[in-house]
Amino acid sequence: MGQTSFLAALCLLLSSVEYAIPKPLPFLRLGLANLPIIFSLRKLSVRDVLLLTVLKVVGQAVISGTLFSYVFLLSASGSFASVCIMLLLSRLCKNQVSDFGVTVAGSLANNVSQLFCARILLGEASVKLIAPLLFTVGCITGIALGVFVLLFENRSVWYANLIVMQISENKIENQHERKNSTAALVWFMVTIAIALVFLFMRNVYVEWICVAVFFIAASIKRKRIVKLLPSVFVTLTVILLALLTPSGKVLYPIGTWRITQGSLINGLQRSGILVGMVFLSQCAISPDLHLPGKFGALLQQVLLYASKLTQTKPQFKKQNLFVTLDTWLVSICR
């Protein structure tokens, strides 16, 4: 469990780095958080690789605040399609396909799966607009990550042994205050119930009132104003995409293009759901959240490893990048 937990924590760290990088589309990923999964392909069992993928997808959604949004569905579908292809190639064709080829194939599988889901969730018009950008970025990042993986694995002492530090179960248990953990778990379940009700709302005015309430609640929960710019960008993008399909009364003509009432309401309704779910995701997660059982213990171990990773930063000097990263990982694990 230690290796899986450590790699999951590494996924969280890289997800945080990736989240800080501006992107034109909310579900566009550079793939940095996939690196630990690629490292695990030839080191862990199939079950542990799939478990690591689940932890990565959920952790990435928590960090970006998209746990209950369409972005989570796109990310999950892409990640699992990618890992399935990479597992097949790394296990069945391990002597014929290098990790470079495995990484590129996984990136392409990710893009195809995301486009398929985007067509269902956002419509065919949206897919035609985003497909060129998605495939272009996917090819570039897939090749870049493939080169990095190939060079790092050939030089890394940490990867050769996949060493991790040991954390005892008692240490995990002692870091919990039961009262706070119970309250956080109850709040998490309540938020899920609210999300299910919100998904079935059909009144666009009530929906956007709820979005405003969720925004205030998320800001109070996090004790700071939640970033609005990403949500504004998503809202404008979804509305513009909806306006490409005219429906109902014409409100304003722009040349041969007609802004119609039906398409505008449809865009507002879709964007309200997406943005509202993002704010709800930010409300649901608390540092005190503790899920019971073995899976809960696994999550807590991931958080402890993540804390260790953030406490120590790699020392980038004149030495080789790969040596610097390898030295950093070895020093943390030992």
Side-chain angles (χ1 to χ4, degrees):
M1 187 170 74
Q3 292 176 329
T4 305
S5 301
F6 182 80
L7 290 172
L10 200 55
C11 284
L12 290 179
L13 177 65
L14 294 174
S15 294
S16 300
V17 173
E18 188 167 336
Y19 180 65
I21 301 173
K23 298 175 285 292
L25 294 173
F27 52 85
L28 205 61
R29 307 288 189 194
L30 299 180
L32 298 179
N34 291 328
L35 284 172
I37 295 177
I38 299 170
F39 293 147
S40 74
L41 293 173
R42 302 184 193 273
K43 295 290 186 177
L44 303 183
S45 66
V46 172
R47 188 191 69 171
D48 287 341
V49 172
L50 293 175
L51 175 59
L52 176 60
T53 305
V54 172
L55 294 172
K56 172 254 179 184
V57 170
V58 175
Q60 200 169 44
V62 170
I63 289 171
S64 60
T66 58
L67 185 60
F68 300 129
S69 71
Y70 80 106
V71 178
F72 175 75
L73 297 177
L74 293 176
S75 177
S77 66
S79 293
F80 281 104
S82 174
V83 79
C84 287
I85 292 297
M86 291 194 296
L87 276 171
L88 285 173
L89 291 176
S90 63
R91 300 302 169 99
L92 300 181
C93 309
K94 58 182 178 181
N95 296 324
Q96 289 77 33
V97 182
S98 68
D99 280 351
F100 173 81
V102 169
T103 303
V104 174
S107 178
L108 292 176
N110 186 305
N111 291 342
V112 171
S113 179
Q114 284 193 341
L115 286 175
F116 179 77
C117 287
R119 182 172 181 177
I120 297 174
L121 294 172
L122 303 177
E124 187 174 352
S126 304
V127 171
K128 289 180 179 179
L129 289 174
I130 66 177
L133 176 62
L134 194 63
F135 269 109
T136 300
V137 173
C139 288
I140 294 173
T141 57
I143 292 172
L145 289 176
V147 171
F148 177 87
V149 167
L150 198 62
L151 295 174
F152 182 77
E153 288 181 352
N154 289 335
R155 292 165 169 80
S156 174
V157 174
W158 170 81
Y159 174 75
N161 302 287
L162 201 57
I163 48 179
V164 299
M165 61 181 180
Q166 298 299 317
I167 296 180
S168 68
E169 296 293 332
N170 289 335
K171 184 177 180 181
I172 295 173
E173 187 69 22
N174 290 338
Q175 288 195 353
H176 279 289
E177 294 183 9
R178 290 297 181 182
K179 184 176 180 180
N180 292 340
S181 298
T182 303
L185 180 60
V186 170
W187 176 248
F188 180 75
M189 300 304 295
V190 169
T191 308
I192 290 178
I194 294 173
L196 292 175
V197 174
F198 180 67
L199 279 172
F200 292 97
M201 284 186 178
R202 292 294 177 263
N203 188 307
V204 68
Y205 300 106
V206 175
E207 184 181 295
W208 274 96
I209 290 173
C210 290
V211 170
V213 172
F214 298 157
F215 167 74
I216 295 171
S219 298
I220 294 174
K221 184 75 181 298
R222 295 197 165 198
K223 298 180 180 179
R224 58 183 173 84
I225 299 297
V226 174
K227 291 183 179 179
L228 272 176
L229 189 58
S231 298
V232 171
F233 185 83
V234 168
T235 300
L236 293 177
T237 302
V238 172
I239 291 175
L240 286 174
L241 291 174
L243 291 175
L244 294 177
T245 307
S247 173
K249 180 182 176 181
V250 176
L251 297 177
Y252 190 79
I254 303 177
T256 58
W257 184 35
R258 301 289 185 270
I259 296 179
T260 57
Q261 184 177 26
S263 58
L264 180 60
I265 292 175
N266 183 42
L268 285 169
Q269 193 166 39
R270 282 190 177 188
S271 60
I273 292 275
L274 301 180
V275 172
M277 286 301 187
V278 169
F279 293 148
L280 267 179
S281 297
Q282 295 171 340
C283 288
I285 305 302
S286 167
D288 297 318
L289 180 62
H290 173 58
L291 300 176
K294 291 184 178 180
F295 189 70
L298 174 64
L299 290 182
Q300 186 61 22
Q301 193 174 63
V302 171
L303 293 176
L304 289 173
Y305 279 128
S307 175
K308 181 70 174 178
L309 283 167
T310 54
Q311 287 173 6
T312 308
K313 296 181 180 180
Q315 300 297 319
F316 291 100
K317 298 179 180 179
K318 294 182 179 180
Q319 60 181 335
N320 187 286
L321 170 66
F322 303 103
V323 174
T324 301
L325 293 176
D326 188 51
T327 303
W328 173 60
L329 289 171
V330 171
S331 67
I332 290 174
C333 294
R334 286 180 175 173

